[in-house]
Amino acid sequence: MEAWSTLETTPLRSTYQGVPDVTGCRPQPRVVVAFHSGYGHTAVLAEAVQRGAEKAGAHVTFVAVDAITDEQWHELDRADAVIFGAPTYMGGASAGFHAFAEASSGRYLNGTWADKIAAGFTNSASKSGDKLNTLNFLAAFAAQHHMIWVGLGLAPGWNALQASENDLNRLGFWVGAGAQTPQDGGIETVHEADIATAEHLGARVTAQAAALTAGRAALAEVTV
């Protein structure tokens, strides 16, 4: 996999829309960002998802799925939430992510990831680029594992006269976070609004995971 470097970025908004502050929540939600990146652009988004989740109070594990280790498989197994990411190539998720998905089949058979929170993000060179195919694949993949899918939770941006390409969710996706990066651009050309949208996704998933784990803990106390 091609190497990438972390970009210094600033979110376009100081708070995440509609996301409660769960920092200090116990038990601390465990979130894994599991992604494939061919040229580094999707990795920039994965780093943004990680930042959003950490700022919201999660313990986050960062997993490049084409170099996954046994320990990282274990982190996936004990996570409360998994946020999947893949670039969109030729109308669908990358082969690198598909290889990981197929390698997870034993966990599908055993129900290892059942009832975990799941979400997803993708990137392509075109503003549409058939990204929805990739997001739908990620959601179907999660559903086969009996996971609980969480959408982006943002209204579409950049769709009115007073709107701007700097809006969150500027490309107007609901299933997950979608980003657009020029095909001849380096990682520094990943759009700041897309980075901020990915951060929002990480924070939103963390809040949902915190609510779910706290609810399960409370239910366990009641039923003991």
Side-chain angles (χ1 to χ4, degrees):
M1 180 171 57
E2 192 166 311
W4 62 84
S5 59
T6 302
L7 295 178
E8 292 296 329
T9 58
T10 302
L12 301 190
R13 306 189 184 189
S14 59
T15 58
Y16 302 112
Q17 293 184 21
V19 177
D21 182 4
V22 296
T23 53
C25 178
R26 294 294 180 269
Q28 183 184 27
R30 303 183 68 88
V31 175
V32 174
V33 182
F35 70 97
H36 174 250
S37 184
Y39 300 96
H41 306 105
T42 307
V44 171
L45 297 173
E47 291 171 347
V49 171
Q50 178 184 21
R51 276 196 306 277
E54 287 177 341
K55 289 177 182 178
H59 173 278
V60 183
T61 301
F62 196 68
V63 177
V65 298
D66 55 342
I68 191 168
T69 65
D70 289 343
E71 176 57 29
Q72 288 171 333
W73 279 111
H74 179 64
E75 287 294 328
L76 281 161
D77 294 344
R78 64 178 182 165
D80 300 305
V82 184
I83 307 175
F84 300 112
T88 297
Y89 294 156
M90 302 304 294
S94 61
F97 190 90
H98 273 277
F100 159 74
E102 292 175 15
S104 74
S105 60
R107 286 161 169 82
Y108 154 75
L109 292 172
N110 295 329
T112 308
W113 297 350
D115 297 326
K116 298 181 186 294
I117 295 287
F121 60 96
T122 188
N123 175 78
S124 72
S126 299
K127 286 183 172 59
S128 171
D130 289 329
K131 282 187 276 285
L132 189 57
N133 289 340
T134 298
L135 292 175
N136 284 339
F137 164 73
L138 296 177
F141 170 60
Q144 289 201 345
H145 277 283
H146 300 178
M147 302 173 83
I148 303 167
W149 188 261
V150 172
L152 183 57
L154 284 174
W158 202 18
N159 66 351
L161 292 176
Q162 299 302 316
S164 162
E165 69 170 300
N166 294 316
D167 292 342
L168 291 177
N169 195 20
R170 69 188 182 107
L171 300 179
F173 286 92
W174 284 264
V175 177
Q180 179 268 330
T181 308
Q183 64 180 358
D184 55 352
I187 62 171
E188 71 282 354
T189 63
V190 178
H191 201 288
E192 287 188 1
D194 295 340
I195 291 172
T197 300
E199 284 201 21
H200 169 90
L201 179 65
R204 174 170 164 77
V205 169
T206 296
Q208 297 303 313
L212 188 64
T213 54
R216 286 172 175 166
L219 185 62
E221 291 181 3
V222 170
T223 56
V224 168

